Amino acid sequence: MNEGASCAANSQTSHDGVKTDVARARWSLLRQVLRGKRADNPEVKQASVRRFATFELFGRTRPASHDSSEEQWVEYRSVFSPDYSAFLRDNPGPLRVSEVLNSFDNTGNVCVWPSEEVMAHYCLRNRHMFKGAVCELGGGMTCLAGLMVAVCADAKEVLLSDGNEQCVDNVREIVERNERAGKFGSTHVSTRVLRWDREPHVAAFQAHFDVVICADCLFLDQYRSSLVGAIRRLLRPNGVALALAPQRGDTMASFCRLAGQAGLLVDQRRQYDAQVWDVHLKMLQEGKEAYDENLHYPLLVTLSKGAQA
Ligand SMILES: C[S@@+](CC[C@H](N)C(=O)[O-])C[C@H]1O[C@@H](n2cnc3c(N)ncnc32)[C@H](O)[C@@H]1O
């Protein structure tokens, strides 16, 4: 994925041409991060000026404070639902080489990818959908979408999860920060390492969730079927899962095929939100070189349990 500092750079697709570019972009981005140049660092931005990074659905401001511990925090406020905001630490400092080498998949430790931003926006716009127990899978270092559910919806509980421990450590601090700021109302918010491919992780929440969400998690060839399995097991009989991800070669189609084979009902949509669609059309009309629908435009897949699932 020709995205460098824009986060979808990390995909591995089974489309060979895309795969080579993606691997190159991914290592280049990780190299920048290891050197302490985060994706919002101007030096990195300059290097990726032709790359698509955001649908601009959230404003990002620093809270006014003289406290140096506040320096890493930013407030994400929805542009289209400005009553809702959350504090995020989306730049927890350089990753150590040992962390990268010893920890599980680091793609969520780099930045908030555009699909996560779009998912957060979609959740805000459709907040009536989120009742009961909600889980975000593979939420990366911020779980922005699940966090927005906790901020805006009437959910009883929200579990924010990822398979990477560093991501979850950061999300834990984000939750504490937002709890102190009184952002969650009566919703109980928790965090945990939840690996889709680890039986005990999934078994602990068997048939527990009314809604499962995940963004930009379908490109991992080695984990796609475990993601489908985890979603099927985590959902209650009437539950629904929302997955947002770009088409990216045949990765989206492959996920939908696997979900169908697992007995889930699959509904895929290209046009699901007016603002996101407008940005997409604008990018196409302006012929932006950096924008490639296949790599950047997230499709929405809704999964629900059929009779046999
Ligand atoms: C491209 S990142 C997306 C992160 C976030 N959703 C976003 O869009 O900003 C993919 C995420 O999936 C997580 N992941 C990959 N394989 C996983 C697995 N088997 N179990 C749980 N999480 C996994 C990674 O740790 C990473 O945070």
Side-chain angles (χ1 to χ4, degrees):
M1 173 180 328
N2 179 23
E3 286 178 314
S6 72
C7 278
N10 302 306
S11 90
Q12 301 168 337
T13 78
S14 52
H15 188 294
D16 280 348
V18 177
K19 196 171 190 169
T20 315
D21 287 351
V22 168
R24 203 174 294 126
R26 174 179 177 168
W27 281 109
S28 145
L29 182 54
L30 272 176
R31 202 164 44 240
Q32 290 164 352
V33 172
L34 281 165
R35 287 179 179 155
K37 297 174 188 169
R38 284 274 165 182
D40 58 353
N41 178 314
E43 218 175 318
V44 175
K45 266 197 179 144
Q46 209 178 358
S48 56
V49 83
R50 288 170 49 247
R51 295 165 184 176
F52 180 79
T54 174
F55 282 84
E56 296 184 353
L57 302 165
F58 289 87
R60 199 173 165 281
T61 52
R62 295 219 171 271
S65 166
H66 299 299
D67 182 347
S68 61
S69 66
E70 283 289 281
E71 273 169 17
Q72 290 181 314
W73 292 91
V74 285
E75 187 169 14
Y76 271 59
R77 185 173 295 281
S78 165
V79 172
F80 298 97
S81 306
D83 287 348
Y84 299 110
S85 72
F87 295 106
L88 255 71
R89 206 171 61 152
D90 60 357
N91 182 358
L95 287 170
R96 281 188 289 273
V97 176
S98 59
E99 279 171 356
V100 172
L101 296 180
N102 298 326
S103 67
F104 169 75
D105 185 296
N106 269 291
T107 57
N109 258 324
V110 178
C111 63
V112 178
W113 299 96
S115 294
E116 182 78 23
E117 174 205 12
V118 170
M119 178 65 95
H121 168 79
Y122 184 85
C123 292
L124 285 168
R125 305 299 269 174
N126 296 279
R127 48 191 173 272
H128 60 274
M129 282 183 66
F130 300 92
K131 299 206 160 52
V134 180
C135 173
E136 173 158 16
L137 295 175
M141 68 173 167
T142 66
C143 288
L144 177 64
L147 202 61
M148 283 297 160
V149 170
V151 166
C152 76
D154 254 347
K156 189 164 164 248
E157 56 175 288
V158 175
L159 174 64
L160 306 176
S161 76
D162 194 87
N164 178 290
E165 281 183 30
Q166 282 83 29
C167 284
V168 177
D169 287 346
N170 192 53
V171 175
R172 192 171 300 115
E173 289 195 37
I174 289 175
V175 168
E176 286 166 8
R177 175 74 174 81
N178 284 283
E179 236 153 24
R180 281 200 301 279
K183 294 278 184 191
F184 299 145
S186 58
T187 302
H188 178 258
V189 186
S190 58
T191 57
R192 84 152 44 203
V193 173
L194 196 163
R195 285 266 305 255
W196 321 322
D197 51 321
R198 293 271 163 92
E199 161 62 21
H201 290 198
V202 177
F205 295 96
Q206 177 92 22
H208 183 76
F209 293 104
D210 297 282
V211 188
V212 171
I213 57 177
C214 71
D216 211 357
C217 290
L218 313 187
F219 64 93
L220 295 151
D221 291 340
Q222 70 274 41
Y223 294 122
R224 200 174 296 121
S225 73
S226 56
L227 175 59
V228 168
I231 289 174
R232 190 178 63 79
R233 290 182 57 193
L234 293 173
L235 282 179
R236 285 194 172 138
N238 294 325
V240 56
L242 305 172
L244 263 175
Q247 190 129 32
R248 214 172 286 166
D250 69 353
T251 62
M252 163 66 81
S254 164
F255 174 79
C256 291
R257 214 167 27 245
L258 286 169
Q261 285 162 5
L264 292 165
L265 302 177
V266 183
D267 174 59
Q268 186 185 304
R269 284 179 198 213
R270 217 166 141 241
Q271 211 173 329
Y272 48 84
D273 180 85
Q275 278 88 29
V276 177
W277 188 246
D278 280 354
V279 176
H280 171 62
L281 292 182
K282 190 164 156 260
M283 288 295 181
L284 293 180
Q285 275 156 14
E286 291 176 4
K288 294 271 187 210
E289 211 187 318
Y291 187 75
D292 176 347
E293 175 169 2
N294 175 50
L295 302 177
H296 302 132
Y297 184 72
L299 304 172
L300 174 67
V301 177
T302 305
L303 304 173
S304 52
K305 287 193 166 182
Q308 294 100 26

